[in-house]
Amino acid sequence: VYSHSQLSTYEECPLKYKLCYRDGIKRDTEGVEGFLGNMVHETLKKCYDNVKLTKLSTLDELLTCYHSLWQKNWHDDIVITKKELTPEHYHNLGRKMLEIYYQRHAPFDKDITIGTEMRIRFSLDDGGKYQLQGLIDRLSRTPDGIHHINDYKTSAYLPGQEDIDNDRQLALYQIGIQKKWPDIKEIRLVWHYLAFDRELVSARSAEKLADLAQNTIRLIDEIELAEEFLPQESGLCDWCEYPDLCPNRKHFYTVEALSIIEYLNEPGVVLVNRYAELREKAREIDEETTKVKEALVEYARREGVTVIRGSDRKARVKFDEKLKFPGKSEPGRKELDEAIAKAGKWHDVSQLDTTALTRVIEGGLWDKALIDEVMKYGRIEETNAVYLSKLKEGEE
Ligand code: SF4
């Protein structure tokens, strides 16, 4: 059984997906943003559950509920990535969101709540092979019979209409709801962006839902067949629970715990610092070498000499003429190629471009029989490269 969050994790970073869902490695750490979201969700659930029981909570009651949930559930493994912020900042943020939501929606009588934190499980195909599950924050029905799949968002980012029209999560829930209650015809997907006091609404046609089901089935197939789960770096790495198991982050994680002396003597740190220093020197030397070479040529031309004497070396400057033809993307190249090919001399002057061949094979651009034939001559060799870059903000 898959969930939207499982599918998204795979799309964001296959390695994280593997560690979390295939290997089942669970972590106690939790981002403060996720914790805040959970507390706000719990409070709103309580609010609507009370309304179902005909009890309208006052704002004070809700905020007290929020505060006690926060106190009860807060634990030492909650991670605050933004160093300038404290738990109080996040607590206040959640409180503010609830106040704004309450003011907009109280007395919560514009619709009927069918369920809060509703667990749904459904299949995308008739055979029951592609099972999905999810949790709907709140399912409601307006007086004119339109069902709303409501989702509370506590994020600090407000997406555009196009983003939400392409959002997968609630649209999948719509498929699940319509499978469960086929008589429900009209559904709206509603995101409540609490920090912005904004409701974003999207509706999906039957065709769009059918496309979504097909795309999701394809994605599930890809995940099931996957053998290689490579790390994929993104802005989300700062919130990843597996830095110690990720080749992209492991070294950062390891050296973070070291004292400054240990850090500066750590072999990896020493090597990177030395490599960066040498690369910088090499760049300076390259630049200077080019300038001196140009000056030597200029000197030889001006003085009419071809050999210039130094203290223990001499430099020979050679002036020569070389036949040149247009390069690959230069004017005249196409016509030149055509002229040679037309004369039937192409094989005299051309040879296989193995870089292009590698691209074709890796991209699977030829038919399988030809690829198999060519691959008799190919071999896999381990290569390596070292790329230096500046540390990003937050990595320093
Ligand atoms: S740190 Fe980033 S790249 Fe590494 S597993 Fe986590 S999300 Fe993937």
Side-chain angles (χ1 to χ4, degrees), residues 49-56:
D49 286 349
N50 279 345
V51 171
K52 273 172 87 178
L53 297 169
T54 70
K55 175 177 170 6
L56 173 63

Side-chain angles (χ1 to χ4, degrees), residues 293-304:
K293 188 179 161 212
E294 283 167 6
L296 271 173
V297 171
E298 185 49 37
Y299 180 91
R301 203 190 301 276
R302 194 173 63 239
E303 300 298 326

Side-chain angles (χ1 to χ4, degrees), residues 285-352:
I285 289 171
D286 271 359
E287 267 178 30
E288 202 180 340
T289 308
T290 306
K291 279 187 194 152
V292 172
K293 188 179 161 212
E294 283 167 6
L296 271 173
V297 171
E298 185 49 37
Y299 180 91
R301 203 190 301 276
R302 194 173 63 239
E303 300 298 326
V305 295
T306 52
V307 181
I308 305 166
R309 192 209 140 103
S311 301
D312 61 351
R313 308 274 165 100
K314 61 186 175 190
R316 181 179 298 279
V317 181
K318 209 171 160 204
F319 293 96
D320 211 350
E321 282 184 344
K322 209 171 162 193
L323 180 60
K324 290 275 279 184
F325 290 106
K328 240 181 171 178
S329 49
E330 283 176 354
R333 174 57 180 261
K334 191 166 165 269
E335 293 76 4
L336 173 64
D337 286 359
E338 282 167 4
I340 295 171
K342 198 171 159 200
K345 301 291 184 193
W346 188 254
H347 286 294
D348 293 359
V349 290
S350 69
Q351 57 180 337
L352 179 66

Side-chain angles (χ1 to χ4, degrees), residues 13 15-16 19 231-233 236-237 240 242-243 246 248-249:
C13 175
L15 176 61
K16 183 175 173 184
L19 295 169
Q232 196 165 295
E233 270 192 287
L236 298 171
C237 291
C240 178
Y242 304 101
C246 169
N248 287 349
R249 288 274 160 159

